[in-house]
Amino acid sequence: MGIAVNPLITMVLRRIALSVLLLAAISVLIFAGTELLPGDVAQSILGQTATPEALANLRAELGLDRPAHQRYLGWLTSFLQGDMGTSLTAGQDIASMISGRLGNTLFLAGWAALIAVPLAIFLGLVAVHYRDGFVDKLISYTTLAAISLPEFFIGYVLVYLFAVTWNILPSHAIVYSGMPFAERMAAIALPCATLTLVVLAHMMRMTRAALLNVMSSPYMETATLKGLPPFRIVFHHALPNAISPIITVVVLNLAYLVVGVVVVEIIFVYPGMGQLLVDHVVKRDVPVVQSAGLVFAAIFILLNMIADILSILANPRLRHPQ
Amino acid sequence: MTATATTVKISAFTRFVAMLSPGARVAAVVLLLLLAAALLAPWIAPYGENEIVGEFWESFSARSWLGTDQLGRDLLTRLIYGAQNTFLIAGTATLLSFTMGGFLGFIAAVSGGAVDSLLSRLNDMMMAIPTLIFALVILSVMPSSLIVLILVMGVLDSTRVFRLSRAVAVDIAVFDFVEAARLRGERTFWIISREILPNALSPLFAEFGLRFAFAVLFLSTLSFLGLGIQPPEADWGNMVRDNRDGIIYGIPAALIPAAAIAMLTISINLIVDSVISRTSSLKGGRDA
Amino acid sequence: MTAEQNILRVNQLQISATEQVSGQPSRRIVIVEDISFDLKRGQVLGLIGESGAGKSTIGLASMAYGRGGCEITGGEVWLDGIDVLKATPAEVSKLRGVTVAYVAQSAAASFNPAHRLGEQVIEAALQHGLMGRAEAAEFAIDLFNRLGLPHPEDFGNRYPHQVSGGQLQRAMTAMAMCCRPQLIVFDEPTTALDVTTQISVLASIKQVIRESNTAALYITHDLAVVAQIADEIMVLRNGRMIEHGSTDQIINHPRDEYTRSLVSTHASEWAEAGDSDHEPVLVASNITAAYDKTNLVLQDVSVELHAGQTLSIVGESGSGKSTLARVITGLLPPLEGDVSLHGKLLPPKLKHRNKEQLRVMQMIYQMPDVAMNPRHTVSTIIGRPLEFYFGISGDERRSKVIDLLRKIELGEEFYDRYPAELSGGQKQRVCIARALAANPELIICDEVTSALDSLVADGILNLLMELQEESNVAYLFITHDLATVRAISDTIAVMYQGRLVRYGKKSTVLEPPYDDYTELLLSSVPAMEIGWLERVLESRGELSN
């Protein structure tokens, strides 16, 4: 017979391949979204008063007269080689613009995730332990309110309290390279807190639901009827089966993070990818928007892929086939 | 006939309200108040939408209950007109996403096979891109008109409705009574509308509420970023944007429209939460 | 005071549950009342009753446990001399697993999918500090061996999803026995198993508890099964005790009328039909079918069915009997072979068949709960085929629906009811009426009595047979229950792993000489006699020490 490949490996590889395909599809969507929709790019850049010759020149310069698939392939191949073109409005090299900002965004989002994830799981466990009690209901109502609030509400309330009324943290998160770590942390304290609160509430509710689902499984009753101590029942029996749904929850919420970071950067004027994207959308600087959009999408797809793979690995049926 | 129809509707409504938790009942009242404000805006607003009534960033007064904004316009008035815009755009977008996503989701679930695979793959692809990012990309080349906003929000959000309605329909479709209808020879449309839909009302209702809440938040976020409803038209999101500089000076004007958004979405979530926890699952089956 | 010779004493036990209807406040109802019994060490008490009788609830109460909102609201439970209802949670935990252990109905769901079997089997012994790991592991292997599990040394390394249902049931018994408890509560341990597997699992359990002098509460709805293993039997109904006595007394001299009806079900047997001179209504020829390319679910199966007759397709899980029904109805096109109706070929796919072809073939399902749309009234459910096939509406429809209700022995008041308001038997009757409404020539009955209590099931079978006499409709009756087959069939097809093993008229199929599988199948059905188990095992040469 042939080589027996662990079905686990095939599933993982297949998932990775799927992600690559998805990314390609998204790049097509982004390209189509910006270059094929009605609306003359040249017109919107030069405005209503532009002369026909100026418009024609700009179109030739932007390569808008070439057929669509050629433009797409040209754009994609350059992108993959690290050349994202130049900004229409500022003339800067886009790749260096993005790389500068990307680090800042990842720093902010990373710290928010680092705080939110363990806290959410812990609160989820607490809520399940005191199920239907006062603590559980309190947590439930608080998080319900929290997930309903727009990020800018939370952000500006925090600014109002911490920056204006009590004056202990800056209202604008100004960071620069070479900044000392402690100062940097102080600068991102409020944006990070905003992001954390937004994501924490969602994650905690879903964790609680996932845990409750596991707790109501028949094998949990078996553990109780064996007279096992409650600690062991939760940690040895419930938790291993809850890992997979919790991973799904966490990653779904990291998706919220990707979106939330954009708004938070605007609120706190933080020099990250989100601010970059929004600024250039307003300025209708298409090349920057395309590249930044694609980078965001890639991060998003990467996170989802990691979550799916972790889920696959956590499933005992797949790790130990028949 | 109409008298009995109305009494049936009223009794169904009162049964519905009785089913809600006390928190959700308060939320329902708030929701109705906001809806009334949206519908009756021109008649109940104290001033004109863009009428200057005083100095900028005045505090609460008898003349101007919630104070004035950065140009001296009455905040309460602009809140009421903003409610109109919010309900109109978010509501239409939700209706669009709901009908599109719901219809396609049901078709995918009932048809199965290749149709299901195709629709699901397409949907997965659309969901692979964060909604806000894609909306921003589109809005970099399209103007922020009413139609564009509604279409963008509606189409992008329909992916989530698709996923939920498909899951709900698949759960129902495994029951034998759906197979019995198929074996009888019933057409797909009949199966969807008479067999599946009546059993899907509760989760669909909840989902509609959640999608509407999300649309409100999304629209206000876009407006906050300057890409949604453009000034001078009032919208809660762009009101936050306009007044945000005041925060640094200790002026809470920007928090008021933000609080309005929060009130609306909290109310919706409370009601949806209550409905989900009170209604039993499909059969209410008992174990032996 | 003599040493406690009763391992379990239950005195006037009362259990209540919370009933929740959406939209209304919840209320408490009593589901078990005035139950008293003593269980001596090493003795086996069978708890018998239909679904809803409260037998599982009582079994769990002896461990001071209430499932899903059930609470012990009255009486006393003494376990090994300890009043468990007054004990602290810590004391109760000490008793569970050690003094009393539980074997659940569904072993597959009761094992944690994330951990190996061996670890779960010895877990209680380790956690309660009864043995060291090495000693426990060795004892587990010994138990695996005595319970008849293959490769006992290696079995503990497997995960639950890697072994079969019957093996999991034995593993669950091993898990219960690992702490050497004084009492084991067996909750329908063989109900979910095929009848051929059931007999060996039953024998294993009996041997192992006898050897260690363990007392047992054996809960089941199958009186024949419990007669093989119990010393005493208690008959329960609606949470109350009907009769309690030795096994011999209950089986052979039942006093109460309800007990008598349980003991003597399936008394009626319908006569076999003569040879038909008409063409068969349905012919399935050389059907080979599969769900994916690799596993053939059916191989070269051919059956035929005449008007007014009943063909029973009998087999265990994996035999392919349900798949045959799916091929015949067009839900699964076969890889080879065809199906014809009155000599004309039917299109293999459902969507290619016309309304008339669909009308003459109707189906009734196993679980009436899910076979009817909960949002439709009885009149809609029964009336839809009338509308759909015959275009009947309005008053004519109403009167026809009431006619059909009468045929299924239900009154006019059921017209506007919803399925949730009906009992199990009534629901299945409505499903029968729905099938009849189309005026079919052939009705496929897919395990239609398997989910019903035996008394209710008998009523349904009688109804079906009467309807057949009236309307000359043919039945394709799929079942795993041989007693039903014996009662109602004209022709029988025995299936095993996708093949037709034996096929012919009832009088031929159920008489020797048998092929190996049919022999195994027929002899595995428990008879309502004490000592049947030992006799069968002896005749098979399987009794071992």
Side-chain angles (χ1 to χ4, degrees), chain B:
Chain B
M1 268 312 270
T2 16
T4 34
T6 347
T7 38
V8 166
K9 281 204 183 69
I10 293 176
S11 68
F13 184 68
T14 39
R15 257 187 298 132
F16 173 73
V17 170
M19 188 172 59
L20 297 176
S21 66
R25 282 185 218 169
V26 173
V29 171
V30 169
L31 187 59
L32 285 171
L33 277 175
L34 290 171
L35 184 60
L39 291 172
L40 305 171
W43 295 284
I44 63 172
Y47 302 99
E49 191 177 358
N50 287 303
E51 196 181 324
I52 311 267
V53 301
E55 288 295 310
F56 58 86
W57 285 330
E58 274 180 22
S59 185
F60 315 132
S61 68
R63 181 181 53 171
S64 180
W65 289 2
L66 293 176
T68 60
D69 70 354
Q70 88 283 13
L71 292 182
R73 298 172 290 197
D74 178 37
L75 274 174
L76 179 60
T77 305
R78 287 186 63 85
L79 266 189
I80 293 175
Y81 277 101
Q84 195 173 58
N85 276 322
T86 298
F87 272 93
L88 176 67
I89 299 184
T92 317
T94 307
L95 277 169
L96 174 63
S97 77
F98 206 70
T99 36
M100 213 175 111
F103 186 64
L104 288 176
F106 275 8
I107 299 241
V110 174
S111 310
V115 174
D116 185 16
S117 282
L118 179 67
L119 285 174
S120 295
R121 296 284 156 268
L122 278 175
N123 197 62
D124 284 345
M125 191 180 76
M126 291 285 291
M127 282 188 87
I129 183 167
T131 316
L132 183 63
I133 307 296
F134 202 53
L136 288 175
V137 167
I138 302 269
L139 287 170
S140 70
V141 289
M142 303 278 295
S144 294
S145 68
L146 215 68
I147 300 207
V148 171
L149 285 174
I150 292 179
L151 273 176
V152 166
M153 282 169 56
V155 171
L156 286 178
D157 212 30
S158 70
T159 53
R160 269 128 194 104
V161 182
F162 176 91
R163 189 176 268 197
L164 176 100
S165 63
R166 182 183 170 280
V168 167
V170 162
D171 276 350
I172 296 175
V174 294
F175 286 108
D176 286 330
F177 64 80
V178 175
E179 185 179 286
R182 266 211 195 98
L183 285 180
R184 203 180 304 143
E186 304 278 11
R187 289 176 31 241
T188 306
F189 181 71
W190 196 93
I191 293 181
I192 290 180
S193 57
R194 293 299 307 280
E195 300 285 0
I196 297 189
L197 196 55
N199 288 299
L201 290 178
S202 173
L204 285 182
F205 174 81
E207 183 66 7
F208 187 83
L210 290 174
R211 289 295 111 220
F212 181 66
F214 179 76
V216 169
L217 283 175
F218 193 68
L219 176 66
S220 58
T221 302
L222 284 179
S223 301
F224 172 72
L225 296 175
L227 296 160
I229 298 179
Q230 301 295 315
E233 276 198 55
D235 170 72
W236 293 345
N238 70 23
M239 282 168 75
V240 174
R241 176 190 177 78
D242 288 343
N243 288 285
R244 73 181 191 278
D245 292 328
I247 296 273
I248 311 180
Y249 303 113
I251 295 169
L255 294 178
I256 293 176
I261 300 172
M263 260 185 5
L264 176 57
T265 43
I266 290 180
S267 304
I268 296 174
N269 276 319
L270 272 174
I271 296 176
V272 165
D273 217 49
S274 178
V275 169
I276 290 182
S277 64
R278 288 307 174 95
T279 50
S280 52
S281 66
L282 179 60
K283 309 179 326 293
R286 294 154 285 129
D287 291 322

Side-chain angles (χ1 to χ4, degrees), chain A residues 218-219 221-222 224-229 232 236-237 240-241 316-317 320-322, chain C residues 65 67 93 96-97 102 109-110 112-113 115 119-120 123 127-128 159 161-162 175:
Chain A
Y219 53 82
E221 183 183 89
T222 309
T224 310
L225 290 175
K226 287 204 289 197
L228 301 177
R232 183 171 172 92
H236 185 79
H237 284 278
N241 289 295
R317 278 172 215 260
H320 307 269
Q322 302 269 350
Chain C
Y65 183 77
R67 186 185 277 164
S93 284
R96 289 183 187 156
Y102 182 74
S110 301
N112 192 328
H115 295 298
E119 204 195 307
Q120 297 184 55
E123 182 181 19
Q127 288 291 316
H128 287 285
Y159 280 86
H161 65 272
Q162 294 174 312
M175 182 163 73

Side-chain angles (χ1 to χ4, degrees), chain C residues 196-214:
Chain C
T196 49
T197 318
Q198 170 176 267
I199 188 174
S200 60
V201 171
L202 191 59
S204 302
I205 291 178
K206 182 170 183 180
Q207 181 179 10
V208 141
I209 61 178
R210 285 258 183 269
E211 277 172 5
S212 52
N213 202 35
T214 311

Side-chain angles (χ1 to χ4, degrees), chain C residues 217-469:
Chain C
L217 278 179
Y218 199 96
I219 298 168
T220 176
H221 66 277
D222 192 334
L223 201 45
V225 164
V226 85
Q228 311 309 316
I229 195 169
D231 300 310
E232 285 184 21
I233 296 178
M234 177 184 287
V235 180
L236 296 160
R237 188 183 196 196
N238 290 330
R240 279 150 187 73
M241 185 195 76
I242 302 292
E243 197 172 338
H244 179 190
S246 72
T247 306
D248 177 52
Q249 182 250 303
I250 298 284
I251 299 290
N252 298 321
H253 315 282
R255 282 195 281 262
D256 185 272
E257 197 184 314
Y258 178 69
T259 317
R260 271 204 291 272
S261 65
L262 285 180
V263 173
S264 63
T265 49
H266 282 317
S268 51
E269 187 170 323
W270 293 74
E272 183 181 326
D275 282 326
S276 173
D277 37 352
H278 298 286
E279 282 299 306
V281 169
L282 180 83
V283 176
S285 318
N286 310 103
I287 303 284
T288 299
Y291 287 108
D292 59 53
K293 297 290 178 292
T294 45
N295 295 318
L296 290 179
V297 183
L298 289 173
Q299 286 188 51
D300 198 25
V301 176
S302 304
V303 293
E304 59 182 45
L305 182 57
H306 292 262
Q309 293 195 3
T310 302
L311 163 65
S312 289
I313 316 260
V314 65
E316 299 181 297
S317 54
S319 59
K321 51 192 197 297
S322 289
T323 311
L324 186 59
R326 293 182 76 80
V327 170
I328 292 175
T329 52
L331 288 169
L332 177 69
L335 295 174
E336 285 170 33
D338 46 64
V339 179
S340 35
L341 195 62
H342 288 302
K344 288 218 227 20
L345 276 180
L346 280 176
K349 277 202 192 152
L350 177 66
K351 59 184 179 194
H352 295 147
R353 298 186 184 181
N354 62 41
K355 237 190 219 186
E356 188 59 20
Q357 288 167 330
L358 295 174
R359 181 190 66 79
V360 299
M361 200 163 29
Q362 292 294 313
M363 186 132 142
I364 309 175
Y365 294 88
Q366 177 174 1
M367 297 205 282
D369 284 324
V370 299
M372 294 188 289
N373 191 328
R375 298 260 188 239
H376 289 179
T377 55
V378 166
S379 83
T380 311
I381 293 170
I382 299 180
R384 179 65 191 162
L386 295 171
E387 282 170 19
F388 188 70
Y389 291 124
F390 307 117
I392 299 176
S393 59
D395 288 328
E396 195 191 343
R397 176 184 166 290
R398 186 189 163 85
S399 69
K400 276 207 153 53
V401 169
I402 294 179
D403 268 347
L404 284 163
L405 280 174
R406 215 174 294 134
K407 267 205 192 140
I408 56 169
E409 296 163 6
L410 291 179
E412 205 175 312
E413 66 271 15
F414 283 88
Y415 189 81
D416 279 315
R417 298 227 182 130
Y418 284 92
E421 304 172 65
L422 308 175
S423 73
Q426 289 166 340
K427 284 183 200 159
Q428 197 63 300
R429 283 168 194 260
V430 171
C431 290
I432 294 174
R434 175 173 64 182
L436 286 177
N439 204 12
E441 297 180 27
L442 158 68
I443 300 184
I444 301 178
C445 302
D446 194 352
E447 305 263 19
V448 299
T449 50
S450 308
L452 303 172
D453 293 324
S454 49
L455 291 175
V456 176
D458 272 356
I460 297 290
L461 286 176
N462 280 327
L463 175 66
L464 284 172
M465 291 294 112
E466 280 165 17
L467 290 169
Q468 185 174 55
E469 276 194 8

